[in-house]
Amino acid sequence: VQLQASGGGLVQPGGSLRLSCAASGFTLNYYAIGWFRQAPGKEREGVSCISSRDGSIYYADSVKGRFTISRHNDQNAVYLQMNSLKPEDTAVYYCATALLRCSWYPKDFNYWGQGTLVTVSS
């Protein structure tokens, strides 16, 4: 069982990146998938989540209107499209699975990817 986040990199302010969360050994569509991020010296915070039951989607206020989460069951993957990136979006981004429902609390998620670094800088 493995969960892998990828797609991070260095981008200028205003730019875009698409993060991928891919699973091997299990099927993502049975889980709620959350994206979290952690900046240096800060706690891990929830960014977005997509539920497994009805496809409900949630965004943190700081990314609403700029980030889009999507689930692609045929690819067994979840994506986070990030547009209009700001320096304050700089962090390591993680995807994680939750059996029950979406949550903003990392403790409610059981499997975690290894994280991918997003740096927004000119």
Side-chain angles (χ1 to χ4, degrees):
V1 174
Q2 189 174 6
L3 199 62
Q4 184 170 356
S6 61
L10 173 64
V11 63
Q12 292 186 343
S16 299
L17 283 174
R18 189 178 79 154
L19 305 185
S20 301
C21 178
S24 58
F26 67 105
T27 303
L28 281 181
N29 65 320
Y30 294 126
Y31 297 85
I33 306 299
W35 282 98
F36 290 80
R37 66 186 181 187
Q38 189 165 18
K42 294 188 176 181
E43 292 187 354
R44 193 167 297 189
E45 64 172 355
V47 174
S48 182
C49 189
I50 184 166
S51 71
S52 61
R53 297 179 182 181
D54 59 4
S56 296
I57 288 174
Y58 306 89
Y59 297 104
D61 288 342
S62 58
V63 306
K64 204 170 290 183
R66 300 188 297 123
F67 290 11
T68 303
I69 191 171
S70 61
R71 182 192 293 272
H72 296 258
N73 292 334
D74 58 332
Q75 300 169 29
N76 202 27
V78 171
Y79 299 99
L80 185 69
Q81 178 67 42
M82 306 187 298
N83 298 329
S84 302
L85 283 162
K86 305 175 181 179
E88 51 264 43
D89 293 319
T90 295
V92 177
Y93 284 71
Y94 301 87
C95 62
T97 63
L99 271 176
L100 295 179
R101 62 184 66 85
C102 278
S103 169
W104 293 118
Y105 301 103
K107 66 177 179 62
D108 293 330
F109 290 78
N110 49 357
Y111 291 123
W112 290 80
Q114 85 287 1
T116 184
L117 176 62
V118 172
T119 304
V120 185
S121 175
S122 55

